[in-house]
Amino acid sequence: MVTIESIIIGIIFIIIQLYALPIVERSPIGQRKLLSLSGGVAIAYVFVYILPTLHGEQDKLGGSFALDTELYFLGLIGLLIYFAVYAFAETKTAERLKADTIYFVQISFFMVYSFIVTYIVFSSDVQRVESLFYGLAVSLHFIGLSYHLGKENERLHKSAGRYMLAGATLLGAFAGIFGPSSGLFVDSIIAFSSGAMIFNVISKEIPFEKNAHLPTFLISSLIYSIMLLVLKGFFNW
């Protein structure tokens, strides 16, 4: 069902995919603080929401398969695939390829990632405060992710990559609205994206060295975690 909240979230996601670079570079709080805010909320979202969700979905399977760890395995696969995407760019094979080719390989994988994450947000049956609260976390995650992709090849990102990410995000929103909201397929993509998100957040969004504003990172992570725990307890999310 399409709601006002889902329309707002979808528009925000697409704007972020299109304009992540100027959003970060022209941020009134500064580039370092915004990226640290993004990383802090994203890592809190992973540990306080994504991992418990993955655990809950695995429990729902109720041992119907041979193992009780199928979804965790899919999460591992997601993590390994996106690690391989980044690692490939540093290999000698990649050095012999054009930078444009490497960029389009990376952007293709992140189109899939953006589609899956958006699908999960829009296929879930959460509404109002809950959807906006989770939408905020994913929005900040997309800001950090799109910004780092854009900085790796700014020319191609501005001319093509950002539109490819925005298109994948739009498709994910429509698919999430009209596609299934539960079942093995949804459980599987939640698990896969969980592993991918864990890697992307830890490798790209936790700020290091000169890009970090440690107080912003720590405070945003703690505040978002505490708010999420309180709201989950109060509203029984």
Side-chain angles (χ1 to χ4, degrees), residues 97-177:
L97 299 174
K98 292 182 179 180
D100 292 5
T101 302
I102 299 300
Y103 174 80
F104 279 118
V105 169
Q106 290 183 315
I107 209 72
S108 297
F109 277 93
F110 282 98
M111 286 175 65
V112 174
Y113 179 73
S114 296
F115 174 90
I116 291 174
V117 172
T118 308
Y119 180 97
I120 292 169
V121 171
F122 278 80
S123 66
S124 62
D125 56 0
V126 298
Q127 296 180 1
R128 296 174 184 168
V129 176
E130 188 177 1
S131 64
L132 293 174
F133 198 72
Y134 294 151
L136 170 65
V138 176
S139 296
L140 288 170
H141 175 56
F142 278 167
I143 285 177
L145 194 66
S146 298
Y147 173 79
H148 289 296
L149 283 170
K151 293 303 288 185
E152 290 175 5
N153 194 321
E154 195 165 339
R155 176 183 59 83
L156 273 182
H157 190 78
K158 287 183 176 179
S159 63
R162 60 181 179 149
Y163 299 107
M164 295 166 70
L165 290 174
T169 301
L170 181 62
L171 287 176
F174 278 112
I177 291 169

Side-chain angles (χ1 to χ4, degrees), residues 3-228:
T3 64
I4 295 296
E5 293 88 352
S6 63
I7 293 173
I8 292 172
I9 291 170
I11 292 172
I12 291 172
F13 283 1
I14 291 171
I15 290 173
I16 287 170
Q17 297 287 30
L18 290 173
Y19 301 108
L21 282 173
I23 287 172
V24 173
E25 292 169 352
R26 301 173 189 174
S27 168
I29 66 172
Q31 178 176 320
R32 291 172 61 226
K33 286 185 178 180
L34 181 58
L35 290 175
S36 296
L37 173 67
S38 167
V41 172
I43 199 67
Y45 180 72
V46 165
F47 281 94
V48 182
Y49 179 71
I50 291 295
L51 291 180
T53 298
L54 182 59
H55 180 71
E57 295 302 323
Q58 180 65 61
D59 279 350
K60 288 179 184 178
L61 291 179
S64 56
F65 294 95
L67 304 173
D68 290 327
T69 55
E70 297 87 1
L71 295 184
Y72 295 108
F73 177 72
L74 286 176
L76 174 63
I77 295 299
L79 186 150
L80 293 177
I81 286 176
Y82 282 86
F83 169 77
V85 170
Y86 281 114
F88 173 73
E90 304 299 325
T91 62
K92 292 183 178 180
T93 301
E95 291 176 359
R96 293 193 291 268
L97 299 174
K98 292 182 179 180
D100 292 5
T101 302
I102 299 300
Y103 174 80
F104 279 118
V105 169
Q106 290 183 315
I107 209 72
S108 297
F109 277 93
F110 282 98
M111 286 175 65
V112 174
Y113 179 73
S114 296
F115 174 90
I116 291 174
V117 172
T118 308
Y119 180 97
I120 292 169
V121 171
F122 278 80
S123 66
S124 62
D125 56 0
V126 298
Q127 296 180 1
R128 296 174 184 168
V129 176
E130 188 177 1
S131 64
L132 293 174
F133 198 72
Y134 294 151
L136 170 65
V138 176
S139 296
L140 288 170
H141 175 56
F142 278 167
I143 285 177
L145 194 66
S146 298
Y147 173 79
H148 289 296
L149 283 170
K151 293 303 288 185
E152 290 175 5
N153 194 321
E154 195 165 339
R155 176 183 59 83
L156 273 182
H157 190 78
K158 287 183 176 179
S159 63
R162 60 181 179 149
Y163 299 107
M164 295 166 70
L165 290 174
T169 301
L170 181 62
L171 287 176
F174 278 112
I177 291 169
F178 298 107
S181 60
S182 61
L184 184 59
F185 169 73
V186 176
D187 291 345
S188 298
I189 64 172
I190 288 174
F192 179 86
S193 66
S194 297
M197 182 174 285
I198 289 169
F199 173 77
N200 288 322
V201 168
I202 292 176
S203 67
K204 290 295 181 180
E205 291 191 68
I206 293 181
F208 294 102
E209 300 171 358
K210 64 180 181 180
N211 294 322
H213 189 270
L214 187 59
T216 300
F217 176 77
L218 295 176
I219 292 170
S220 63
S221 180
L222 290 173
I223 288 177
Y224 186 86
S225 299
I226 293 169
M227 288 178 63
L228 183 54

